[in-house]
Amino acid sequence: MPVGYVLTRVGMFLLVIWLAASIIFVIPRIARGSPVQNQAAQERFGLDRPIAEQYGSYLLDAIRLDLGPSIVYFPSEVGRHIQMRLPWSIGLLTISSTEADAVPWDNLIIR
């Protein structure tokens, strides 16, 4: 495999991850209202800081896989919720992938 091809694929992978993370960051901020109403909670989650500072902090924390506390299930950590749900997600992925591979798609295509 040529090195240029691998570098292109890695670059595209990183671009897609960055775009997805950026969209996830922007959507809650353009939604109407704030996810947290009182000032103390906004300070705790860093929502009182400038948007550029929030974005930089968000990206650095995401790179370190430090997802912080959950707004919905405060004070528990987001990583803990992902850890609890990951086995079920992997199970569903395994089942759906196995089923998709088991279907003879060639016979279903109308020619």
Side-chain angles (χ1 to χ4, degrees):
M1 216 176 327
V3 174
Y5 174 77
V6 172
L7 291 176
T8 302
R9 298 297 291 184
V10 169
M12 293 299 288
F13 170 76
L14 293 174
L15 177 66
V16 168
I17 295 296
W18 173 75
L19 282 172
S22 297
I23 290 170
I24 290 169
F25 176 82
V26 168
I27 287 177
R29 281 152 183 84
I30 61 174
R32 193 172 271 170
S34 173
V36 225
Q37 300 302 327
N38 65 23
Q39 186 64 27
Q42 285 189 350
E43 289 173 9
R44 167 74 172 106
F45 290 110
L47 299 175
D48 58 336
R49 298 182 297 173
I51 195 81
E53 188 179 329
Q54 290 180 37
Y55 183 66
S57 175
Y58 167 75
L59 287 179
L60 288 175
D61 289 345
I63 289 170
R64 290 189 308 250
L65 299 178
D66 177 17
L67 303 176
S70 170
I71 291 177
V72 176
Y73 300 109
F74 186 78
S76 64
E77 295 289 320
V78 171
R80 178 71 183 129
H81 290 280
I82 292 174
Q83 184 182 19
M84 288 179 356
R85 290 163 177 85
L86 194 59
W88 291 101
S89 298
I90 291 172
L92 287 171
L93 174 69
T94 303
I95 291 169
S96 61
S97 297
T98 304
E99 289 294 320
D101 288 343
V103 174
W105 293 105
D106 293 344
N107 297 338
L108 297 176
I109 297 174
I110 299 173
R111 296 178 192 194

